[in-house]
Amino acid sequence: MSRQRFRAVPRSALAVLAGGVAAVVLLRTWSLMTWAYSDWIATSATTRESLVLALPWAAAVAAWTAGRYLSPRNIMCPPSATRSGRPVAVAQLGLLSLAAVVGWLMGCAPLLVWTARHARAGGPDLLVIAGAALVLLAALAFGYLLGCLLPRVASVTVAASVTLLGILAVDVWGPAVAPVRLATPAAGLIESGPVTVFRLLFFASVVALFAAAASHAVSERSVVRRATTYAGVALILVPLLIGGIARQSAPAAVQRESSPAARCTTVQGTPVCVHAAKAAILAPLAEVVDRVLTAADAPAGALGAGVADDALGVPRDPATTVLSLQTDQSDWDGWAAGDLAAQLAGLPACDRRGDVYGEAVGPAQDARATSVGFARWIAEAAGFAPPQLDGSPDSGMSAKLQRLQASSVLALLRRDGERLRECRLPSSAIR
């Protein structure tokens, strides 16, 4: 690109655009690097979900740039200048797009490098990542178009506001055309290939249409704004129409992996399996299972046929203990211990009882409180503080168990373990 065209957007404006995008993207991606394992599915999706604040910023900066340097009364680029019209629009949009993408890559780079170094399975979804770049360019082109049509202050305000509202209206757009989805899939889930390809084509078309409309608006500039200047805005109706059709007919954007690979080990005769992408936490999870089983002096088969990661798509039934591992939390092992202790204490059986009525309400609530108390005792005896049990009422059962010797509680578990696991143990049985 010539030196003349490079000056169509000052270096300072490009630096502000790239720096702002990099900062907000880095802020949004940083949390994934605190996960207990590296996940390419989540990382690929986060390159898109991290744009929540970057899209309004890019749209606003593009609107300001167009308003600042394309005003019909601007001495730097008057309508009569040889650079006016399509050449300057192409030059400015090209430079702004390059700066935005560079800033986005800078913000994503630490997460991509971290995932590449630590991931145990899978690889980047390049189509999803490319789609994220096109979403960013679409927001930038939208802001640039507004900057060509509206006064500068109004264009910046409208560009940022409308872009943010478009992001928040994810349910209105539907996952096929929503700029971001405000949700991050992880191991065990995959983004639908047809939807991903459609998004690539859709947002590429949106970028092209916005750029064409902006070029037309710049070419039609005059000191007195004419109706023909706004004619290109009609092009916006095309993606809106396509988006409306896709909203009704698009398949599910995120699907379960059909045959996920597993990594397994055995703990006290109990198989423990996680998704292959979570192989890094298999050993720590096995230790959690071992400590919980030991703390409860659990008999063989107390956890059913085994312990399985929910990402493997194993059906939830009494025969298997399925864990929804909270690996985005620093205390994910406490969550896992709480779920295991709840299984040993019969809380799933309490949930399966469903709603109860009449005279059955009191006994059901009493049996559940007993199970909650034992679940807390087991998890704490194993050395964990289960967050999910903090707010569960136990009618003083935890305090009652704490006053007993550990040997006495284990004797109760051996004596009444079957009734406890079936959620049929009343609090009156604990003395």
Side-chain angles (χ1 to χ4, degrees), residues 173-180 198-199 202-203 239 242-244 246-247:
W173 296 113
V177 294
V180 298
F198 172 81
R199 285 175 60 85
F202 176 77
F203 282 105
I242 296 174
R247 174 71 175 85

Side-chain angles (χ1 to χ4, degrees), residues 287-288 291-292 294-296 333-334 337-338 375-386:
E287 181 182 354
V288 173
R291 288 166 61 178
V292 169
T294 300
D333 51 353
R376 283 182 177 149
W377 186 91
I378 293 170
E380 291 171 0
F384 299 98

Side-chain angles (χ1 to χ4, degrees), residues 35-406:
W35 282 26
Y37 75 104
S38 298
D39 188 343
W40 272 118
I41 297 296
T43 292
S44 299
T46 299
T47 62
R48 176 186 65 239
E49 308 311 322
S50 64
L51 295 173
V52 170
L53 298 177
L55 297 183
W57 174 260
V61 173
W64 181 89
T65 301
R68 172 69 176 82
Y69 298 107
L70 290 181
S71 168
R73 294 181 174 85
N74 192 309
I75 194 172
M76 295 180 62
C77 190
S80 59
T82 57
R83 297 192 305 147
S84 65
R86 181 176 301 173
V88 72
V90 170
Q92 288 190 336
L93 268 176
L95 288 168
L96 290 169
S97 298
L98 178 61
V101 170
V102 168
W104 169 68
L105 290 174
M106 290 170 58
C108 291
L111 174 62
L112 293 171
V113 172
W114 182 81
T115 307
R117 291 183 59 186
H118 297 96
R120 299 291 187 89
D125 191 329
L126 298 180
L127 291 180
V128 171
I129 296 174
L134 286 172
V135 168
L136 176 60
L137 296 182
L140 184 124
F142 172 69
Y144 186 82
L145 173 61
L146 290 180
C148 295
L149 299 174
L150 302 175
R152 192 193 318 169
V153 175
S155 68
V156 172
T157 303
V158 173
S161 301
V162 172
T163 303
L164 184 58
L165 288 175
I167 293 170
L168 297 178
V170 58
D171 293 331
V172 175
W173 296 113
V177 294
V180 298
R181 297 182 188 142
L182 307 179
T184 304
L189 301 173
I190 57 174
E191 301 214 24
S192 169
V195 174
T196 301
V197 172
F198 172 81
R199 285 175 60 85
L200 279 171
L201 298 176
F202 176 77
F203 282 105
S205 300
V206 169
V207 172
L209 290 173
F210 283 165
S215 296
H216 174 79
V218 175
S219 299
E220 292 289 322
R221 288 177 309 152
S222 65
V223 175
V224 178
R225 293 184 183 273
R226 299 173 297 189
T228 54
T229 303
Y230 301 91
V233 179
L235 293 172
I236 298 176
L237 297 176
V238 177
L240 290 177
L241 178 62
I242 296 174
I245 296 173
R247 174 71 175 85
Q248 301 298 323
S249 58
V254 178
Q255 302 170 342
R256 273 208 171 271
E257 201 173 347
S258 58
S259 299
R263 297 291 182 270
C264 300
T265 188
T266 301
V267 178
Q268 298 189 27
T270 301
V272 178
C273 296
V274 297
H275 191 283
K278 301 181 183 180
I281 66 169
L282 179 58
L285 177 61
E287 181 182 354
V288 173
V289 175
D290 182 59
R291 288 166 61 178
V292 169
L293 289 174
T294 300
D297 193 21
L303 293 175
V307 177
D309 176 13
D310 181 55
L312 294 173
V314 177
R316 290 180 177 272
D317 57 50
T320 305
T321 300
V322 180
L323 299 181
S324 297
L325 298 169
Q326 308 296 321
T327 46
D328 57 334
Q329 304 289 329
S330 59
D331 57 348
W332 70 269
D333 51 353
W335 286 91
D339 287 344
L340 292 167
Q343 181 76 20
L344 295 175
L347 277 175
C350 296
D351 295 336
R352 288 194 293 271
R353 292 176 65 169
D355 295 332
V356 290
Y357 303 92
E359 295 181 356
V361 172
Q365 291 178 341
D366 182 65
R368 181 180 180 83
T370 301
S371 290
V372 170
F374 271 98
R376 283 182 177 149
W377 186 91
I378 293 170
E380 291 171 0
F384 299 98
Q388 68 270 51
L389 298 177
D390 280 348
S392 299
D394 63 9
S395 302
M397 183 58 61
S398 293
K400 184 183 292 188
L401 293 174
Q402 288 294 337
R403 289 194 293 268
L404 297 176
Q405 295 291 329

